[in-house]
Amino acid sequence: MEIARDWRAGDRTITVTGHLPAGKERRRTLSVPDSARHTAEVLKQLLMDAGIANRDLLVRPAGAADRWKPRRQAEIRRPLPLLLAHANKPSDNLTAEMLLRHLGADAKGALGDVVSGHAVIRDHLASLGVTAHAYRLADGSGVSHYNLVSASLLVRLLADVHDRGDPARTLLAESLSVAGQDGTLATRMGGTAAEGVVRA
């Protein structure tokens, strides 16, 4: 059985083909074309499960007027280690995008968006002596082909985390996949010297 969506065409239709033996199941994670809408729908379902909201709660795109009048009706908190692990181990793009927006909201004191999130990243890179022409940012997950980041820049960022010591060092290390054990490396390098040692 195959579960697919034509993400290149921006199609939101999920197509399921083939068959499954009795008692078997097949799961596949697909990318979300409208991450803001998806996040709102997930929040709505969580609020409904908690008895805070019902199906009448309207989920709609934010208009220009809404942008300057944020209203906090409810919030759900998740610890940073859990969010980082959810972003890094399975390489979850939606979580990475939401973390970028949170960066902007937390540091810039405004609504979280890509622009404010990128401003925080640029400020940090500048503090490390990285010039603006040394990279290009297009999103928060790295999926866009318009992102340009060199290997030397990534090494500089890793060195910065290492030099900071704990909790930053441990926070990053524990969020990464472990060879032969979990995340995107669960089926890789098993039975080798890298198993249980390499994190990426």
Side-chain angles (χ1 to χ4, degrees):
M1 187 183 78
E2 178 64 23
I3 304 170
R5 179 175 66 80
D6 189 358
W7 59 269
R8 291 182 180 87
D11 189 2
R12 300 185 183 190
T13 303
I14 296 175
T15 304
V16 181
T17 57
H19 65 279
L20 281 176
K24 298 291 185 179
E25 69 174 34
R26 171 78 184 273
R27 296 187 182 190
R28 181 175 176 188
T29 300
L30 301 176
S31 61
V32 177
D34 186 346
S35 58
R37 178 64 182 261
H38 176 74
T39 300
E41 292 286 0
V42 170
L43 177 59
K44 175 180 176 178
Q45 187 61 54
L46 290 170
L47 293 175
M48 289 170 55
D49 293 346
I52 298 173
N54 58 38
R55 293 191 178 277
D56 296 330
L57 179 64
L58 181 64
V59 174
R60 60 179 174 79
D66 299 322
R67 184 171 182 78
W68 306 112
K69 297 178 181 178
R71 293 178 298 140
R72 178 174 294 177
Q73 295 179 331
E75 68 178 39
I76 296 175
R77 294 180 176 270
R78 295 289 185 268
L80 184 58
L82 180 65
L83 289 174
L84 285 179
H86 190 73
N88 288 341
K89 282 185 181 291
S91 188
D92 185 80
N93 298 324
L94 176 60
T95 303
E97 293 291 347
M98 294 302 104
L99 283 170
L100 174 73
R101 287 155 174 79
H102 179 74
L103 270 179
D106 186 57
K108 300 297 181 180
L111 288 177
D113 57 22
V114 173
V115 174
S116 58
H118 281 168
V120 175
I121 293 174
R122 288 190 181 95
D123 290 347
H124 180 64
L125 291 175
S127 74
L128 297 178
V130 179
T131 57
H133 70 271
Y135 61 90
R136 185 167 67 191
L137 304 175
D139 59 13
S141 60
V143 170
S144 172
H145 292 288
Y146 293 102
N147 290 299
L148 293 175
V149 180
S150 67
S152 61
L153 174 54
L154 293 177
V155 170
R156 187 174 298 190
L157 287 170
L158 289 172
D160 176 56
V161 172
H162 181 271
D163 292 344
R164 288 170 182 265
D166 285 331
R169 188 188 305 172
T170 299
L171 192 61
L172 175 62
E174 292 184 350
S175 76
L176 299 175
S177 299
V178 181
Q181 294 185 3
D182 61 17
T184 56
L185 299 183
T187 60
R188 301 179 186 181
M189 294 176 273
T192 72
E195 182 174 1
V197 178
V198 170
R199 293 177 181 263

